Amino acid sequence: MPRVRVHQHVNPLAPYYRQAPMPLDVAAVFERPDLPLHLDVGCARGRFILRMAKLEPDWNFLGIEIREPLVEEANRLADEAESKNLHYAFCNAMLWLDRLLVNIPDALLQMVTIQFPDPWFKKRHAKRRMVNAELVDMIVSKLAAEGKIFVQTDIEPLAEEMFALFKADERLKMIDEIENPFPVKTERELAVESRQLRVYRKSFQKS
Ligand SMILES: C[S@@+](CC[C@H](N)C(=O)[O-])C[C@H]1O[C@@H](n2cnc3c(N)ncnc32)[C@H](O)[C@@H]1O
């Protein structure tokens, strides 16, 4: 099956990506909507949660991605796999994550992963970075008590920026992570690992 071709990056501040998504109805997309929810933000082709959903049938997995064709392809693969605990949503997380999740009961969101988000290296593009103070607030506000956030990247300045944003939130405590705590690696993590690059990781837990 050929991979769907997409732009490598999209500008999240362009008018098309400023449109609000419809709130997600968990009862419509998951067979057991009351299961704890794992959110993977910036999931790209979504292979990480495709595999996690098989390994963890007592969790629901929701991938969020701004590149719409990837979301369509990932949902098609989830349907083909007859996966009942996996769904992908097209959403510009930095602007609209709270609206997408507004109808999800607060206690459900127990795990959030953000793995290798786009660095947008140039200073004039820094505003396009997905992990900003607003995204952190949206995530932490929706996260269940004791819920966790796992963040990793190979780009040191971006890691420092992201960790500082999460650290600044007084509802969170920080946990150092040497290894990825999950049994599955994302496509980007595998690529980085094959080049033997250092990866910066942290977890945060809501108290
Ligand atoms: C470098 S890729 C990493 C993908 C995957 N997490 C991995 O580790 O293999 C970053 C992904 O985040 C997505 N992304 C960037 N900004 C986003 C935003 N504002 N909302 C949702 N997804 C976004 C990109 O389209 C891309 O698929």
Side-chain angles (χ1 to χ4, degrees):
M1 172 79 53
R3 284 180 146 212
V4 64
R5 294 187 65 150
V6 285
H7 292 294
Q8 207 183 350
H9 298 290
V10 297
N11 176 1
L13 303 176
Y16 185 71
Y17 300 104
R18 286 181 176 272
Q19 299 175 82
M22 287 294 288
L24 190 83
D25 175 2
V26 274
V29 297
F30 298 124
E31 187 172 72
R32 293 157 66 203
D34 51 324
L35 292 178
L37 180 65
H38 177 150
L39 189 68
D40 190 37
V41 189
C43 66
R45 294 176 190 275
R47 303 300 199 266
F48 168 70
I49 54 171
L50 180 71
R51 292 183 59 203
M52 287 295 296
K54 285 206 185 89
L55 295 173
E56 302 278 4
D58 292 331
W59 281 75
N60 285 327
F61 292 85
L62 176 62
I64 308 290
E65 174 52 50
I66 198 169
R67 288 182 292 168
E68 203 169 7
L70 296 187
V71 174
E72 287 162 7
E73 189 208 26
N75 274 326
R76 194 180 50 70
L77 290 180
D79 284 349
E80 268 177 30
E82 297 182 7
S83 193
K84 308 289 184 219
N85 62 336
L86 176 63
H87 185 72
Y88 301 88
F90 166 55
C91 173
N92 181 354
M94 67 191 280
L95 297 183
W96 293 116
L97 189 68
D98 54 351
R99 181 173 162 84
L100 184 79
L101 304 183
V102 70
N103 291 339
I104 296 181
D106 286 348
L108 279 195
L109 182 60
Q110 295 189 20
M111 175 60 73
V112 178
T113 41
I114 302 176
Q115 305 186 69
F116 305 92
D118 296 328
W120 290 109
F121 284 110
K122 289 182 186 158
K123 206 172 165 190
R124 67 189 163 93
H125 287 158
K127 281 199 164 48
R128 297 182 185 181
R129 288 183 195 146
M130 183 178 77
V131 183
N132 58 20
E134 290 74 24
L135 181 78
V136 170
D137 185 55
M138 289 189 269
I139 289 174
V140 183
S141 300
K142 197 70 193 176
L143 195 65
E146 309 298 321
K148 280 191 175 171
I149 302 160
F150 172 65
V151 187
Q152 62 173 342
T153 177
D154 57 310
I155 314 288
E156 189 178 8
L158 187 67
E160 282 170 8
E161 182 180 289
M162 289 197 300
F163 298 161
L165 285 165
F166 283 105
K167 259 195 223 172
D169 194 307
E170 290 178 350
R171 296 166 290 182
L172 297 175
K173 66 172 188 242
M174 196 173 81
I175 305 157
D176 280 319
E177 299 282 7
I178 309 295
E179 299 292 334
N180 177 347
F182 295 100
V184 178
K185 293 177 181 176
T186 68
E187 290 179 86
R188 177 77 196 187
E189 182 170 0
L190 292 170
V192 161
E193 200 174 66
S194 71
R195 291 160 59 205
Q196 298 184 321
L197 299 177
R198 178 167 175 196
V199 177
Y200 306 87
R201 306 180 167 97
K202 296 265 185 249
S203 285
F204 297 85
Q205 186 164 31
K206 190 166 171 181
S207 44

Short mmCIF file of all heavy atoms in Angstrom, two decimals, residues 8 10 12 40-45 64-67 70 91-94 115-118 120 128 130 186-189, ligand 1:
data_model
loop_
_atom_site.label_atom_id
_atom_site.label_comp_id
_atom_site.label_asym_id
_atom_site.label_seq_id
_atom_site.Cartn_x
_atom_site.Cartn_y
_atom_site.Cartn_z
N GLN A 8 5.39 18.41 3.98
CA GLN A 8 6.14 18.07 5.19
C GLN A 8 5.67 18.91 6.38
O GLN A 8 5.62 18.43 7.50
CB GLN A 8 7.63 18.28 4.94
CG GLN A 8 8.44 17.38 5.83
CD GLN A 8 9.93 17.62 5.66
OE1 GLN A 8 10.35 18.32 4.74
NE2 GLN A 8 10.72 17.05 6.54
N VAL A 10 2.74 22.19 7.57
CA VAL A 10 1.72 23.17 7.20
C VAL A 10 1.81 24.31 8.21
O VAL A 10 2.19 24.10 9.37
CB VAL A 10 0.30 22.58 7.18
CG1 VAL A 10 0.18 21.49 6.13
CG2 VAL A 10 -0.13 22.07 8.54
N PRO A 12 0.38 26.45 10.79
CA PRO A 12 -0.80 26.35 11.65
C PRO A 12 -1.54 27.68 11.83
O PRO A 12 -2.64 27.70 12.37
CB PRO A 12 -0.21 25.87 12.98
CG PRO A 12 1.20 26.33 12.97
CD PRO A 12 1.64 26.30 11.54
N ASP A 40 -2.42 11.40 21.75
CA ASP A 40 -1.10 11.57 21.15
C ASP A 40 -1.19 12.81 20.24
O ASP A 40 -1.84 12.77 19.20
CB ASP A 40 -0.71 10.31 20.37
CG ASP A 40 0.74 10.34 19.91
OD1 ASP A 40 1.61 10.83 20.67
OD2 ASP A 40 1.03 9.86 18.79
N VAL A 41 -0.52 13.89 20.66
CA VAL A 41 -0.69 15.17 19.97
C VAL A 41 0.44 15.35 18.95
O VAL A 41 1.61 15.27 19.30
CB VAL A 41 -0.67 16.34 20.99
CG1 VAL A 41 -1.06 17.63 20.28
CG2 VAL A 41 -1.61 16.08 22.15
N GLY A 42 0.05 15.58 17.68
CA GLY A 42 1.03 15.64 16.59
C GLY A 42 1.46 14.24 16.22
O GLY A 42 2.64 13.89 16.18
N CYS A 43 0.45 13.41 15.92
CA CYS A 43 0.69 11.95 15.79
C CYS A 43 1.18 11.56 14.40
O CYS A 43 1.50 10.39 14.17
CB CYS A 43 -0.57 11.17 16.14
SG CYS A 43 -1.93 11.46 14.98
N ALA A 44 1.19 12.51 13.43
CA ALA A 44 1.60 12.22 12.05
C ALA A 44 0.80 11.04 11.50
O ALA A 44 -0.42 11.07 11.52
CB ALA A 44 3.11 12.03 11.96
N ARG A 45 1.47 9.97 11.06
CA ARG A 45 0.74 8.84 10.45
C ARG A 45 0.08 7.95 11.49
O ARG A 45 -0.63 7.01 11.14
CB ARG A 45 1.69 8.02 9.57
CG ARG A 45 2.17 8.81 8.39
CD ARG A 45 3.18 8.08 7.52
NE ARG A 45 3.72 9.03 6.56
CZ ARG A 45 3.16 9.32 5.40
NH1 ARG A 45 2.07 8.70 5.03
NH2 ARG A 45 3.70 10.22 4.61
N ILE A 64 -4.07 13.26 17.41
CA ILE A 64 -4.43 14.60 16.91
C ILE A 64 -3.37 15.00 15.90
O ILE A 64 -2.16 14.93 16.20
CB ILE A 64 -4.38 15.65 18.06
CG1 ILE A 64 -5.22 15.20 19.25
CG2 ILE A 64 -4.78 17.02 17.56
CD1 ILE A 64 -6.67 15.21 19.03
N GLU A 65 -3.82 15.45 14.73
CA GLU A 65 -2.84 15.79 13.69
C GLU A 65 -3.40 16.90 12.81
O GLU A 65 -4.58 16.92 12.49
CB GLU A 65 -2.55 14.52 12.85
CG GLU A 65 -1.68 14.69 11.65
CD GLU A 65 -0.36 15.41 11.89
OE1 GLU A 65 0.39 15.05 12.81
OE2 GLU A 65 -0.07 16.36 11.12
N ILE A 66 -2.51 17.82 12.41
CA ILE A 66 -2.92 18.97 11.61
C ILE A 66 -2.91 18.66 10.11
O ILE A 66 -3.55 19.36 9.33
CB ILE A 66 -2.02 20.20 11.92
CG1 ILE A 66 -2.69 21.48 11.44
CG2 ILE A 66 -0.63 20.04 11.34
CD1 ILE A 66 -2.01 22.74 11.93
N ARG A 67 -2.19 17.62 9.70
CA ARG A 67 -2.16 17.31 8.26
C ARG A 67 -3.31 16.34 7.95
O ARG A 67 -3.24 15.15 8.22
CB ARG A 67 -0.79 16.76 7.87
CG ARG A 67 0.28 17.86 7.88
CD ARG A 67 1.63 17.36 7.47
NE ARG A 67 2.21 16.45 8.45
CZ ARG A 67 3.28 15.69 8.23
NH1 ARG A 67 3.87 15.73 7.05
NH2 ARG A 67 3.75 14.89 9.17
N LEU A 70 -3.25 12.75 6.42
CA LEU A 70 -2.69 11.71 7.31
C LEU A 70 -3.76 11.18 8.26
O LEU A 70 -3.79 9.99 8.59
CB LEU A 70 -1.52 12.27 8.13
CG LEU A 70 -0.29 12.71 7.35
CD1 LEU A 70 0.83 13.08 8.32
CD2 LEU A 70 0.19 11.61 6.41
N CYS A 91 -7.04 18.34 13.71
CA CYS A 91 -7.19 19.49 14.61
C CYS A 91 -5.87 20.23 14.70
O CYS A 91 -4.81 19.61 14.79
CB CYS A 91 -7.60 18.97 16.01
SG CYS A 91 -7.65 20.22 17.29
N ASN A 92 -5.95 21.54 14.70
CA ASN A 92 -4.78 22.36 14.99
C ASN A 92 -4.70 22.49 16.51
O ASN A 92 -5.38 23.31 17.13
CB ASN A 92 -4.94 23.73 14.32
CG ASN A 92 -3.73 24.62 14.59
OD1 ASN A 92 -2.84 24.26 15.35
ND2 ASN A 92 -3.72 25.78 13.98
N ALA A 93 -3.88 21.64 17.11
CA ALA A 93 -3.88 21.50 18.57
C ALA A 93 -3.55 22.81 19.28
O ALA A 93 -4.09 23.09 20.35
CB ALA A 93 -2.89 20.41 18.98
N MET A 94 -2.67 23.62 18.68
CA MET A 94 -2.24 24.84 19.39
C MET A 94 -3.37 25.85 19.53
O MET A 94 -3.32 26.71 20.40
CB MET A 94 -1.02 25.47 18.70
CG MET A 94 -1.33 26.03 17.34
SD MET A 94 0.17 26.48 16.44
CE MET A 94 0.54 28.04 17.18
N GLN A 115 5.45 13.87 21.00
CA GLN A 115 6.73 13.26 20.65
C GLN A 115 7.29 13.88 19.38
O GLN A 115 6.66 13.86 18.33
CB GLN A 115 6.53 11.75 20.49
CG GLN A 115 5.89 11.17 21.76
CD GLN A 115 5.78 9.66 21.73
OE1 GLN A 115 6.78 8.96 21.78
NE2 GLN A 115 4.57 9.15 21.65
N PHE A 116 8.46 14.48 19.52
CA PHE A 116 9.18 15.07 18.41
C PHE A 116 8.33 16.08 17.63
O PHE A 116 8.16 15.95 16.42
CB PHE A 116 9.73 13.97 17.48
CG PHE A 116 10.58 12.97 18.22
CD1 PHE A 116 10.01 11.83 18.74
CD2 PHE A 116 11.92 13.21 18.43
CE1 PHE A 116 10.77 10.91 19.46
CE2 PHE A 116 12.69 12.31 19.15
CZ PHE A 116 12.11 11.16 19.67
N PRO A 117 7.77 17.08 18.33
CA PRO A 117 7.00 18.10 17.60
C PRO A 117 7.92 18.90 16.67
O PRO A 117 9.12 19.00 16.91
CB PRO A 117 6.44 18.98 18.71
CG PRO A 117 7.34 18.78 19.87
CD PRO A 117 7.86 17.37 19.76
N ASP A 118 7.32 19.47 15.60
CA ASP A 118 8.13 20.22 14.63
C ASP A 118 8.83 21.37 15.32
O ASP A 118 8.20 22.16 16.03
CB ASP A 118 7.23 20.77 13.52
CG ASP A 118 6.59 19.66 12.72
OD1 ASP A 118 7.23 18.60 12.58
OD2 ASP A 118 5.46 19.85 12.25
N TRP A 120 10.28 24.14 13.99
CA TRP A 120 10.18 25.49 13.39
C TRP A 120 11.39 26.31 13.84
O TRP A 120 11.26 27.26 14.63
CB TRP A 120 8.86 26.18 13.79
CG TRP A 120 7.65 25.56 13.15
CD1 TRP A 120 6.69 24.83 13.77
CD2 TRP A 120 7.26 25.62 11.77
NE1 TRP A 120 5.73 24.42 12.87
CE2 TRP A 120 6.05 24.90 11.63
CE3 TRP A 120 7.81 26.20 10.61
CZ2 TRP A 120 5.39 24.75 10.41
CZ3 TRP A 120 7.14 26.04 9.40
CH2 TRP A 120 5.96 25.33 9.31
N ARG A 128 4.84 29.35 15.22
CA ARG A 128 4.16 28.18 14.65
C ARG A 128 4.35 26.93 15.50
O ARG A 128 3.78 25.89 15.19
CB ARG A 128 4.68 27.91 13.24
CG ARG A 128 4.41 29.04 12.29
CD ARG A 128 4.90 28.69 10.90
NE ARG A 128 4.75 29.81 9.98
CZ ARG A 128 5.08 29.78 8.71
NH1 ARG A 128 5.59 28.68 8.20
NH2 ARG A 128 4.91 30.84 7.93
N MET A 130 3.93 24.10 18.00
CA MET A 130 2.69 23.59 18.57
C MET A 130 2.66 23.72 20.09
O MET A 130 1.61 24.03 20.68
CB MET A 130 2.56 22.11 18.17
CG MET A 130 1.30 21.46 18.63
SD MET A 130 1.23 19.76 18.05
CE MET A 130 2.36 18.93 19.16
N THR A 186 7.83 5.88 18.25
CA THR A 186 7.24 6.54 17.09
C THR A 186 8.19 6.40 15.90
O THR A 186 9.37 6.09 16.05
CB THR A 186 6.99 8.04 17.34
OG1 THR A 186 8.24 8.70 17.45
CG2 THR A 186 6.14 8.28 18.58
N GLU A 187 7.67 6.74 14.73
CA GLU A 187 8.50 6.68 13.51
C GLU A 187 9.69 7.63 13.65
O GLU A 187 10.80 7.30 13.27
CB GLU A 187 7.65 7.06 12.30
CG GLU A 187 6.63 5.98 11.98
CD GLU A 187 5.77 6.34 10.79
OE1 GLU A 187 6.18 6.06 9.65
OE2 GLU A 187 4.70 6.90 10.99
N ARG A 188 9.43 8.79 14.22
CA ARG A 188 10.51 9.77 14.38
C ARG A 188 11.55 9.29 15.39
O ARG A 188 12.75 9.47 15.20
CB ARG A 188 9.88 11.10 14.81
CG ARG A 188 10.82 12.19 15.09
CD ARG A 188 11.35 12.82 13.83
NE ARG A 188 12.52 13.60 14.16
CZ ARG A 188 13.15 14.40 13.32
NH1 ARG A 188 12.75 14.51 12.09
NH2 ARG A 188 14.21 15.07 13.70
N GLU A 189 11.08 8.64 16.44
CA GLU A 189 12.04 8.15 17.45
C GLU A 189 12.95 7.09 16.81
O GLU A 189 14.16 7.07 17.06
CB GLU A 189 11.32 7.57 18.67
CG GLU A 189 12.32 7.10 19.73
CD GLU A 189 11.71 6.74 21.08
OE1 GLU A 189 10.48 6.83 21.24
OE2 GLU A 189 12.48 6.34 21.96
C1 LIG B 1 8.08 15.69 13.46
S1 LIG B 1 6.46 15.06 13.39
C2 LIG B 1 6.49 13.79 14.66
C3 LIG B 1 5.37 12.81 14.48
C4 LIG B 1 5.28 11.72 15.55
N1 LIG B 1 4.89 12.26 16.83
C5 LIG B 1 6.57 10.97 15.68
O1 LIG B 1 7.23 11.09 16.73
O2 LIG B 1 6.93 10.23 14.73
C6 LIG B 1 5.45 16.32 14.16
C7 LIG B 1 3.98 16.20 13.80
O3 LIG B 1 3.20 17.19 14.49
C8 LIG B 1 2.22 17.69 13.61
N2 LIG B 1 1.82 19.04 14.05
C9 LIG B 1 2.58 20.16 13.99
N3 LIG B 1 1.89 21.22 14.45
C10 LIG B 1 0.68 20.74 14.82
C11 LIG B 1 -0.48 21.36 15.38
N4 LIG B 1 -0.53 22.68 15.61
N5 LIG B 1 -1.56 20.58 15.65
C12 LIG B 1 -1.52 19.24 15.40
N6 LIG B 1 -0.46 18.61 14.86
C13 LIG B 1 0.63 19.35 14.58
C14 LIG B 1 2.93 17.71 12.26
O4 LIG B 1 2.04 17.79 11.16
C15 LIG B 1 3.70 16.39 12.32
O5 LIG B 1 2.93 15.32 11.82
#
